[in-house]
Amino acid sequence: METLVRLSFYCFAAATIAFVASAACYLAYAVGRVRLRRTALATDAGPALVTHEASFQPASSGIGRFATLLAWFGVGFQAVSILLRTIAAGRLPLSNMYEFSTTFVLIAGVIYLLFERWYGVRQLGAIILPIIVAMCAYIWLLPADLREVNALIPALQNQPLMTTHVSLAILAYAAFAVAFAAAVLFLIANRWRVAWLPSPDLLDDLGYRAVTIGFPAMSLVLILGSVWAYRAWGTYWQWDPKETAALFTWLIYGVYLHTRSLRGWRGSRSAVILLVAFAAVVFTYFGNYVFGGLHAYGGV
Amino acid sequence: MTHISLDQPIAKPRALPEVVVDRIWRFFCSVRAAVVEIAVLAVLVLIGTLRGSSVPRSIADAFPIMTPLVDGWYAWDVFRSLPFAGILTLLAAAIAVCTINRAPGIWQAIAHPSVTTTHGFLRNAETSATFTSAIPAAELAAQLESALRSGRYRTLTAERNGEIHLYGDRWRFSRLATFPFHLALIMILAGGIVGAAWGFRENQFYIPEGSVRELGHGTGLAVRLDDFSEVYREDGTALAYRSDVTLIKGGEPIESGSMTVNNPLTFGDIVFYQSGFGQAVALKVADSAGQVLFDDALPLGPFQSKLNPDAPAARMDLLPAGVAMSVIAPDENPANAPELDTLHLRPGEMFFMIRPLGADSPIAEPLGATVGQGESIQLGDLSLTFVRERRFSVLQVARNPGIPLFVAASVLLVGGLAITFYFPHRRVRGIVSATPGGSVARLAPMARRDWSAKRVFEQLAADAGRRIGIEPTLQTNEPDRSPAASNQLSRASR
Ligand code: HEM
């Protein structure tokens, strides 16, 4: 491996560590302190009744701030990692599952942290950071030769289209991940009324805002993908499985938007659609494993 | 919402056709039907997507009882099926009808919104702001109006029962943005139909170097491949494949250009793509009278020798001579199955063979010979010259008149979405009333269970208060959290 590529990988390793620590802190922050109280009822004959009672209390805000700081560290390391690889390869790392996923980790982190700033909702990190950690784990499990920088096959050599198409896909998936996290948190907050979770309304709105970023991005992914297909293969739409999986995902978010804006759905029904839709995102992302097709190159 | 009051005269029973048309119209207008249609489309797309995968197979493996169903699944070409075309048509019709149906209402809300509201609406709003002042109601209303206007809100007022009703909104035209968006969806479908009906697509257009081939499809064009080149990187991976071609119309060259993968050549609305390449052989065939039967190049490689799959081959019928001719090139991969390479051709050699074709063929038996580049031989009555080795290029050629539709639709689609999402129509209502000590104004946003819109309103109220020097008191009502309300807003409230 070239030095820069190796350095880039070390930065990714550092980012992984930061993200794992951050995820742990976010989880501790969101769950709060659990205090077990032991109450003993004493009688003349000694303690007769011992009960254990769990009580939940909000975590200190310090651990939340620490979680955010660690997440910024992770994002910083990951940004350097991507930067080094970009310099080494002379292009953005977007062309195989390893490169695509490392960029996803960066963008998902950034989008999440932006939403955390805008809405001041730290508990969301308890869902998003584990997703990011899972992606890091997936990257570690990928065959090591994908970490090398390889030359592009002729069909992938369309810099502007490839860069925009793929980076918008990453942006869309990252936004959808935030919407998913908001939906999960909504369902928890709505069900159990945990006092220190953000208000369900806010979570509902946050999910929607994330979709208003993800949906137009996904629309552009589909459009630019077909333009690219036209440039490379001479046809806009091949009904290739990866394409149709993306179309499927897009349609599910379309259902979400319609039930919301026209039928006035809010809350748990909307949240459930977001869960289904995110399952479709995951299916599209890892679709290469299930089907061949024109998108099958790219390392898996 | 329309209310049917009891003291209205009972409507006359309507004629059946009218009822049917009304039903159909209402079906297409129904948002519930639209949502179901999109969901059905999504399910069909999923079925079609999984067909390209091993998922159905694993279902059949797990539940053998499903095998016939799974076989049917693999056999069903969803995207070219009637139900799929049907649901797309239905969606397009629904979008069109729904648009026509909603347009007047939306226009009404933009151009002539109702200005008056009720105290009940303001009281029950999830958030509201109250401004108390010692100045008369009319003056307070005017100040609030100008404050809203400086926040780029349009304001309208109306007087009723001695109170001033205030309406303010911003980005009202963004409500129109769903029209270009949905129109774009129809245009993309229309573009697909136009492309399929009036375009053409030639997936494998073979031209050997130096040869001319007719394109057909009513274009009157012929294409000459002037040169084909491949560029490799140092490590042996392909960097680019390039074809240089000349387009010929009516025997005259009209344009020259080149194409590589990802960089097609466009001529008018016809696009040429580099798709593949291979080996070709230039040869000349003449009969015993000296008449030339063939003087061109044959692409080798679309076919292989029947006996040795590693050997590219070609075949052509020479009808006037009553023979079929095949050419076999040297084995391309001698390491693989060497026992099949019975011809042992060396580079630069080709094996030519003629076979009888038809009842009155001049030959009875196949005749064959190995020929070197530049050499001539006699096979039966025919004199054959292996002029030289060439290469051929495979192009894809397509004409798609749906492209302008597609491009325009893309712009409308993304633009419409961006406006809908990022410039949402914001609305405020309020009532300014006189009080013994002056006046009081209460404003509330139309933002039920919309956290962002409430935040925007609170910001707006604070800004307005700063501008007119009155600190507003904000009041919030916890949104209704009954299970039904937590899932759905009533449509009437919007
Ligand atoms: C049966 C066909 C369809 C009908 C009748 C329909 C109708 C509508 C209507 C009436 C609106 C609301 C306009 C407004 O509030 O002013 C809307 C919004 C929207 N529609 Fe459709 N639509 C259809 C198909 C689609 C499809 C296939 C998609 C893409 C997945 C789509 C995406 C959207 C989006 C993104 C919005 C904006 C939602 C928002 O304002 O938050 N529509 N649709």
Side-chain angles (χ1 to χ4, degrees), chain A residues 51-244:
Chain A
T51 59
H52 293 271
E53 194 186 316
S55 73
F56 293 89
Q57 283 175 0
S60 75
S61 63
I63 192 157
R65 276 202 298 276
F66 194 53
T68 304
L69 189 70
L70 283 169
W72 277 113
F73 269 134
V75 162
F77 278 122
Q78 191 62 4
V80 174
S81 164
I82 301 282
L83 182 72
L84 291 175
R85 199 175 166 95
T86 305
I87 294 170
R91 60 179 162 82
L92 283 172
L94 299 168
S95 66
N96 65 28
M97 269 306 226
Y98 172 82
E99 299 192 338
F100 189 76
S101 302
T102 50
T103 311
F104 173 83
V105 165
L106 173 66
I107 302 297
V110 170
I111 297 266
Y112 162 67
L113 286 168
L114 287 179
F115 268 90
E116 184 187 294
R117 290 213 125 195
W118 291 334
Y119 281 85
V121 183
R122 240 187 209 124
Q123 291 87 347
L124 213 56
I127 316 276
I128 280 283
L129 261 293
I131 294 178
I132 291 179
V133 168
M135 278 310 285
C136 291
Y138 166 73
I139 294 168
W140 280 97
L141 292 176
L142 279 171
D145 53 340
L146 289 182
R147 296 172 195 165
E148 318 254 345
V149 171
N150 288 315
L152 295 179
I153 64 171
L156 287 178
Q157 294 167 16
N158 191 319
Q159 284 304 324
L161 270 177
M162 182 178 112
T163 309
T164 40
H165 170 73
V166 180
S167 43
L168 280 166
I170 289 173
L171 176 69
Y173 295 166
F176 290 149
V178 171
F180 167 79
V184 171
L185 216 55
F186 173 92
L187 290 173
I188 294 172
N190 201 42
R191 177 85 177 70
W192 284 290
R193 297 289 140 83
V194 186
W196 64 93
L197 283 186
S199 92
D201 267 4
L202 185 155
L203 291 168
D204 184 65
D205 190 62
L206 201 157
Y208 172 68
R209 292 294 147 201
V211 173
T212 62
I213 292 176
F215 192 77
M218 194 72 190
S219 309
L220 274 171
V221 169
L222 289 170
I223 291 171
L224 293 175
S226 34
V227 172
W228 186 9
Y230 185 69
R231 303 282 297 175
W233 303 313
T235 170
Y236 272 117
W237 195 263
Q238 304 259 47
W239 298 110
D240 166 75
K242 186 101 178 171
E243 284 175 351
T244 55

Side-chain angles (χ1 to χ4, degrees), chain A residues 208 257-258 262, chain B residues 34 37 91 94-95 98 102 178 181-182 185 420:
Chain A
Y208 172 68
L257 289 169
H258 276 96
L262 296 174
Chain B
E37 283 153 24
L91 268 168
I95 292 174
C98 194
R102 283 177 65 96
T178 61
F181 172 82
H182 288 90
L185 296 180
T420 304

Side-chain angles (χ1 to χ4, degrees), chain B residues 393-464:
Chain B
S393 182
V394 192
L395 311 185
Q396 287 186 4
V397 190
R399 173 161 74 194
N400 191 341
I403 289 168
L405 272 173
F406 180 86
V407 172
S410 307
V411 174
L412 291 180
L413 195 146
V414 178
L417 271 183
I419 294 174
T420 304
F421 287 157
Y422 307 138
F423 303 95
H425 189 199
R426 302 272 188 221
R427 289 175 289 175
V428 186
R429 295 191 180 286
I431 299 180
V432 189
S433 347
T435 56
S439 57
V440 61
R442 188 166 198 177
L443 300 185
M446 295 179 71
R448 259 195 96 197
R449 308 209 50 209
D450 184 342
W451 191 87
S452 291
K454 283 186 277 186
R455 257 345 73 103
V456 167
F457 170 77
E458 283 159 16
Q459 190 62 46
L460 177 75
D463 288 348

